[in-house]
Amino acid sequence: QVQLVESGGGSVQAGGSLTLSCTASESTFRRCMAWFRQVPGNKREGVAQGYFNFGALTSYTDSVKGRFTISQDIGKKTVYLQMNSLKPEDTAMYYCGAKDPGRPCGGLNAADFGIWGQGTQVTISS
């Protein structure tokens, strides 16, 4: 089974930027790849997802539209989450999720993703 490793988290001030990386042990081609975040005591929230084939189909939760961008480097088997104009409410543990190859993205629901990384912490100070 594919393994995912996230990196790039850290602490920045509000208005700053971070880029998270999710490196897979197998190709991310034709996989729905997603970023979720979770605050202790809350459910895991979908942030962004992308189905990367010869093009890219992406979707975002409303609170990050225009600020976050999901992208992929097929050669590096890595999916990125570029986060700009960060806000204190973006503070969370961020997780990378993946579906089996060929499965469409559909709704941004954690229950639909069976493969997870260990997470990377993002902390935004005001």
Side-chain angles (χ1 to χ4, degrees):
Q1 182 171 339
V2 64
Q3 295 181 326
L4 306 175
V5 178
E6 301 99 330
S7 61
S11 298
V12 298
Q13 290 189 325
S17 299
L18 281 173
T19 300
L20 306 183
S21 299
C22 171
T23 300
S25 59
E26 300 175 6
S27 175
T28 57
F29 185 65
R30 291 186 64 245
R31 283 188 186 269
C32 178
M33 302 294 296
W35 287 96
F36 286 76
R37 62 189 180 188
Q38 189 169 21
V39 175
N42 289 3
K43 294 196 303 183
R44 194 164 290 190
E45 173 195 24
V47 175
Q49 64 182 348
Y51 185 85
F52 301 100
N53 196 345
F54 294 102
L57 296 174
T58 59
S59 61
Y60 301 87
T61 192
D62 286 346
S63 63
V64 307
K65 285 180 180 177
R67 301 189 298 123
F68 291 11
T69 302
I70 187 171
S71 63
Q72 178 190 228
D73 185 324
I74 294 177
K76 294 182 178 179
K77 295 180 286 187
T78 299
V79 175
Y80 303 98
L81 184 68
Q82 173 67 45
M83 306 186 295
N84 298 324
S85 302
L86 284 161
K87 304 175 181 180
E89 50 264 42
D90 294 319
T91 295
M93 183 71 80
Y94 282 71
Y95 296 91
C96 179
K99 293 185 178 181
D100 290 335
R103 290 187 59 198
C105 280
L108 199 57
N109 300 310
D112 295 333
F113 289 79
I115 304 165
W116 295 97
Q118 83 290 349
T120 185
Q121 178 68 37
V122 172
T123 303
I124 312 301
S125 58
S126 59

